[in-house]
Amino acid sequence: MVFFRSVAAFTRLRSRVGQQSSLGSSVRWIQMQSSTDVDLKSQLQELIPEQQDRLKKLKSEHGKVQLGNITVDMVIGGMRGMTGLLWETSLLDPEEGIRFRGLSIPECQKVLPVAQSGGEPLPEGLLWLLLTGKVPSKEQVEALSKDLANRAAVPVCIITKIFPSRFWEPTYEDCLNLIARVPVVAAYVYRRMYKNGDSIPSDKSLDYGANFSHMLGFDDAKMKELMRLYITIHSDHEGGNVSAHTGHLVGSALSDPYLSFAAALNGLAGPLHGLANQEVLLWIKSVVEECGENISKDQLKEYVWKTLNSGKVVPGYGHGVLRKTDPRYVCQREFALKHLPDDPLFQLVSKLYEVVPPVLTELGKVKNPWPNVDAHSGVLLNHYGLTEARYYTVLFGVSRSLGICSQLIWDRALGLALERPKSVTMDWLETYCEKAKASSP
Ligand code: NMX
Ligand code: MLT
């Protein structure tokens, strides 16, 4: 069987576009799952050997091809812009945002199976897509949903002897168990911290997102829809972001997925990364506390400057790679416009969308003045009663388990190397630059 960009294995989107004309011309190919097999692991068993051969061929035929020009700026500037990682599950375009296996968020919302007509995609469907590169059928998603629900209670299995080419198999088991159990643990923590330890058992009849919402104590159908959307959009953001990169780095030492994921979460907890989602809500609440909900745009502008002048960043704005409004912000805004247009904090978020970018542009140094995913998530959760901002990064972490674990399976399947970049000293750089200057005409 052939995979990814190979014509034979692609089902042309055209037939699908016939049914989904609003997908428009931006979609060139979507691989629909042609097999009716509902077992995700057997699908991977089929795909992985081909991908292992593909990587081997890539290495032997093109291993010496230069990948762009690496500059001193990149070395000093945290490897920004340097292509140095293989990350199969998603790719980030600075202008248009994330694509999961080639599909944008709106495309995922159109083609992935949903719980209710016109609703948000089921995160299990996204997990299938991330792992296989193919859009699953409703039956496949239901089977995976059941598998995850059952795994939430299964004891960890330890496999001691295995050939390297099959490392991915115990990794797959650990990863699926981890994805299945993380919401149970996260909900337990929430109930213990904020609801007197009154924990709510998992309901196996619910899908992944709805069950998580249920275990947290939120059974409103719209909150369940929000949780499906939230888990889908926070799952993966290619490989270079702090959490994904950390998970990959630690996994590259063959640390197991639990250790790798724990390391990733520690990175996610930094205020410049995932913690920004809690910072946004706290900051918005501080605006309301000081100026009230009906703050004018001029007052808001003043407040933004006050934040900047006190040496702080405006949380939820800017990005290391994106150069336009994050499509994850856009789809959350659409959700708010559909379900909670009159929420006062949503209205404040909308006002900030008008006020903050010109201020950040005026600051002169910010490469991307537009909002990122974190600028919006808090007010949506807050609207449905999940008001404890300190917990928000945990939600982000639950979702990111899907992306990080999917890639960890592929890391092992492809036998990716121990990550160990070369470092140099300032002495080394100064000498290098002086020599380069002396030899330039
Ligand atoms: N508010 C104030 N200053 C900013 C902001 C902002 N929102 N964004 C960037 N800058 C500053 C940045 O601190 C830097 O200043 P200096 O040269 O004095 O160190 C300058 O602008 C240039 O930074 P950029 O190259 O535009 O951004 P960089 O890639 O270094 O950082 C972030 C990206 C995301 C860390 C940065 O935009 C930021 O701190 N944003 C606010 C925190 C946030 O929302 N983080 C969440 C990101 C998404 N996520 O979930 O991980
Ligand atoms: C993420 O979702 O990981 C953030 O947007 C940060 C990033 O991509 O660098």
Side-chain angles (χ1 to χ4, degrees):
M1 207 177 109
V2 195
F3 193 51
F4 299 36
R5 306 224 164 260
S6 151
V7 175
F10 277 126
T11 303
R12 260 196 190 272
L13 178 65
R14 263 180 213 153
S15 59
R16 185 82 184 197
V17 171
Q19 303 154 25
Q20 316 248 2
S21 54
S22 56
L23 272 180
S25 57
S26 67
V27 179
R28 292 162 298 276
W29 298 93
I30 290 183
Q31 304 156 81
M32 302 305 295
Q33 190 69 66
S34 51
S35 156
T36 52
D37 187 350
V38 296
D39 183 45
L40 177 58
K41 191 169 178 185
S42 69
Q43 291 280 305
L44 286 176
Q45 262 153 352
E46 212 175 319
L47 293 171
I48 282 171
E50 289 167 20
Q51 294 307 304
Q52 289 171 334
D53 288 347
R54 182 180 169 203
L55 186 68
K56 227 167 146 186
K57 191 162 172 243
L58 196 64
K59 267 190 196 152
S60 67
E61 290 181 9
H62 305 293
K64 300 283 178 282
V65 173
Q66 199 174 334
L67 276 181
N69 288 323
I70 289 169
T71 64
V72 173
D73 267 352
M74 290 169 173
V75 175
I76 295 173
M79 298 195 272
R80 198 59 49 77
M82 198 193 257
T83 303
L85 275 176
L86 188 64
W87 194 265
E88 287 289 272
T89 50
S90 65
L91 188 67
L92 185 60
D93 180 273
E95 302 289 320
E96 74 167 355
I98 196 68
R99 279 182 178 266
F100 302 115
R101 291 287 192 178
L103 298 187
S104 68
I105 289 174
E107 287 160 6
C108 283
Q109 287 174 310
K110 293 232 161 59
V111 301
L112 287 178
V114 290
Q116 59 200 52
S117 165
E120 300 298 342
L122 289 159
E124 299 89 318
L126 181 84
L127 175 59
W128 189 293
L129 174 72
L130 289 175
L131 275 169
T132 65
K134 296 179 181 178
V135 174
S137 67
K138 178 96 177 155
E139 292 69 36
Q140 286 165 328
V141 169
E142 278 165 7
L144 178 55
S145 206
K146 277 200 194 106
D147 184 12
L148 289 173
N150 289 332
R151 281 170 185 273
V154 176
V156 184
C157 71
I158 299 164
I159 298 175
T160 47
K161 277 196 178 166
I162 191 127
F163 291 109
S165 66
R166 295 184 57 198
F167 275 170
W168 73 268
E169 291 181 25
T171 305
Y172 175 91
E173 295 302 327
D174 278 350
C175 283
L176 273 260
N177 288 342
L178 190 156
I179 291 169
R181 289 169 190 168
V182 150
V184 180
V185 175
Y188 176 82
V189 169
Y190 178 76
R191 301 293 302 178
R192 192 183 157 129
M193 279 190 73
Y194 303 113
K195 307 288 169 186
N196 300 321
D198 176 19
S199 64
I200 302 172
S202 148
D203 178 348
K204 280 191 185 181
S205 70
L206 295 174
D207 60 81
Y208 189 82
N211 192 29
F212 185 32
S213 182
H214 165 72
M215 287 187 290
L216 288 168
F218 301 96
D219 281 310
D220 179 331
K222 284 184 187 162
M223 176 63 169
K224 287 179 177 159
E225 268 294 84
L226 174 63
M227 197 56 81
R228 292 178 187 118
L229 177 68
Y230 184 101
I231 294 175
T232 297
I233 63 175
H234 287 78
S235 61
D236 207 25
H237 216 227
E238 72 171 26
N241 66 75
V242 172
S243 51
H245 188 190
T246 306
H248 172 77
L249 168 69
V250 175
S252 83
L254 298 188
S255 303
D256 73 34
Y258 294 95
L259 295 170
S260 308
F261 182 63
L265 289 187
N266 286 315
L268 191 70
L272 296 186
H273 190 22
L275 198 82
N277 64 6
Q278 91 169 34
E279 299 300 298
V280 169
L281 192 71
L282 297 177
W283 185 77
I284 287 177
K285 286 194 167 167
S286 76
V287 174
V288 174
E289 215 165 90
E290 203 171 308
C291 314
E293 270 172 1
N294 293 322
I295 183 171
S296 70
K297 284 187 197 157
D298 282 343
Q299 279 175 298
L300 204 46
K301 187 173 168 188
E302 220 173 276
Y303 197 91
V304 171
W305 275 116
K306 194 171 114 182
T307 301
L308 291 171
N309 292 335
S310 69
K312 294 183 189 146
V313 294
V314 179
Y317 280 76
H319 200 272
V321 178
L322 283 167
R323 292 296 174 257
K324 290 259 169 76
T325 298
D326 191 335
R328 299 172 296 177
Y329 175 94
V330 174
C331 71
Q332 292 183 92
R333 180 173 163 74
E334 279 161 6
F335 187 96
L337 287 168
K338 185 169 164 191
H339 298 294
L340 47 122
D342 300 326
D343 181 284
L345 291 190
F346 165 57
Q347 288 174 354
L348 188 48
V349 164
S350 296
K351 259 186 218 163
L352 284 168
Y353 195 16
E354 293 176 53
V355 168
V356 176
V359 173
L360 290 181
T361 304
E362 200 180 324
L363 201 60
K365 61 180 181 178
V366 181
K367 293 200 188 69
N368 173 28
W370 300 104
N372 60 57
V373 66
D374 297 321
H376 216 308
S377 51
V379 293
L380 298 179
L381 297 162
N382 186 71
H383 178 85
Y384 291 110
L386 212 171
T387 54
E388 298 84 357
R390 282 190 61 215
Y391 184 76
Y392 290 173
T393 309
V394 180
L395 298 176
F396 197 152
V398 168
S399 166
R400 194 128 293 192
S401 69
L402 270 62
I404 291 175
C405 289
S406 297
Q407 182 60 37
L408 279 174
I409 295 168
W410 278 101
D411 287 352
R412 295 290 75 79
L414 299 175
L416 295 190
L418 174 81
E419 194 177 304
R420 205 312 188 178
K422 174 81 186 86
S423 62
V424 292
T425 63
M426 278 201 267
D427 258 359
W428 188 98
L429 282 175
E430 282 159 2
T431 311
Y432 181 91
C433 292
E434 275 158 23
K435 272 192 195 155
K437 199 173 164 196
S439 63
S440 70

